Amino acid sequence: MRCVILLGPPGAGKGTQAEMLSEEECLEHISSGAIFRENLKNQTELGKLAATYINNGELVPDDVTIAMVRDRLSAITSESGFLLDGFPRTRTQAEALKDVLQEFDENLRVVAIYIKVPSQELISRLTGRLTCRAEGHIFHTKYNPPKIEGRCDHDGSELYQRDDDKPETVKKRIQVYLEQTIPVIDYYQNQALLVEVDGNQSVEEVSAAIRSALKV
Ligand code: ADP
Ligand code: ADP
């Protein structure tokens, strides 16, 4: 069984790569951001609590996020394993994840893939991102436009711009990433679990680089 952790700044391409990789490798795709957005849509208590943080570009508190992901991990059914997209984002979350993973098979193979993209590129990626209402499929107005304007290629549902993809919030999220998530990259580097991939190339090239990193 395998646990693949995708790390990188907002806009690095984690969700895009996770969509493809989870399908190819039969890994369950666990996106903390997507779970929060689903809760928001359904107006659950968790969704209401998370909303203010998400809309301000801040991280949802660790205790809430860790409990949510712990819950999701207890429901894993794929024997191939799972792919974490957007979690962990703080050192505390990374330490909590380590504890949870200890409850899995002792043969669980953990690898953290750091998709590195320069900050100036992130703004245009995020402000042009289009997200599908039904399933969260990801597009971009210029870099990955849908076949039919405003409609998801996969399920035909409406594409929308996330509130937190507006320029003011994007800047805040990048700043939060630099302050709180860079330490997570160091954390995996120190445990020799980190592989760095150049995210500043085409979606296909990034995907090939990730696949070759996973083979070693
Ligand atoms: P993250 O999950 O890391 O925030 P996404 O996968 O949502 O990133 O990608 C952010 C935006 O950039 C999306 O609009 C996506 O279509 C686009 N994108 C993803 N990967 C690339 C790439 N390699 N080159 C150009 N645009 C990309
Ligand atoms: P991105 O695609 O830019 O990486 P996500 O969809 O992963 O964004 O996350 C959107 C928002 O959800 C974050 O800005 C944050 O408010 C919240 N969030 C997602 N994952 C976490 C996490 N692991 N810890 C705290 N907050 C999170």
Side-chain angles (χ1 to χ4, degrees):
M1 206 184 194
R2 201 147 66 172
C3 165
V4 178
I5 302 166
L6 291 186
L7 298 172
K14 301 180 296 297
T16 301
Q17 296 299 330
E19 269 180 22
M20 301 190 291
L21 197 64
S22 57
E23 198 171 324
E24 280 166 26
E25 304 279 333
C26 292
L27 299 171
E28 276 181 48
H29 178 187
I30 302 174
S31 158
S32 43
I35 305 177
F36 282 132
R37 280 188 291 282
E38 192 61 26
N39 275 278
L40 224 114
K41 191 163 83 179
N42 297 329
Q43 291 282 299
T44 67
E45 285 307 312
L46 175 64
K48 285 182 207 159
L49 189 155
T52 18
Y53 296 99
I54 295 177
N55 293 332
N56 288 327
E58 286 162 4
L59 294 183
V60 178
D62 280 336
D63 53 344
V64 176
T65 307
I66 291 167
M68 177 185 85
V69 174
R70 191 189 286 272
D71 241 37
R72 177 63 189 84
L73 285 173
S74 68
I76 294 285
T77 54
S78 166
E79 285 175 10
S80 310
F82 49 93
L83 191 159
L84 293 171
D85 158 14
F87 181 92
R89 260 177 155 95
T90 64
R91 167 109 194 182
T92 306
Q93 292 179 13
E95 281 162 3
L97 176 64
K98 188 165 196 207
D99 290 343
V100 179
L101 294 184
Q102 249 137 39
E103 292 157 25
F104 279 81
D105 187 337
E106 59 181 37
N107 294 321
L108 183 76
R109 287 176 295 152
V110 181
V111 57
I113 308 241
Y114 168 34
I115 308 178
K116 195 172 179 185
V117 175
S119 292
Q120 66 273 22
E121 174 70 16
L122 301 173
I123 313 239
S124 56
R125 285 201 189 177
L126 290 168
T127 52
R129 173 160 61 187
L130 298 170
T131 305
C132 131
R133 252 322 148 211
E135 300 266 352
H137 294 117
I138 303 158
F139 296 86
H140 191 280
T141 49
K142 285 204 208 91
Y143 308 143
N144 180 24
K147 293 196 179 84
I148 300 169
E149 199 185 324
R151 293 280 149 198
C152 175
D153 289 359
H154 307 286
D155 53 38
S157 77
E158 184 199 11
L159 297 178
Y160 73 104
Q161 183 185 40
R162 279 168 44 179
D163 275 341
D164 62 342
D165 280 344
K166 307 254 155 75
E168 323 75 73
T169 324
V170 160
K171 289 196 192 106
K172 170 76 180 173
R173 285 161 61 208
I174 295 172
Q175 187 196 335
V176 166
Y177 166 80
L178 296 173
E179 286 164 10
Q180 303 197 52
T181 311
I182 291 280
V184 176
I185 292 169
D186 299 339
Y187 175 86
Y188 288 109
Q189 174 100 63
N190 291 338
Q191 295 181 57
L193 294 175
L194 193 80
V195 183
E196 187 176 308
V197 160
D198 177 10
N200 199 17
Q201 41 182 353
S202 74
V203 169
E204 290 70 28
E205 285 166 324
V206 178
S207 163
I210 294 178
R211 264 186 266 120
S212 82
L214 287 177
K215 283 203 186 91
V216 284

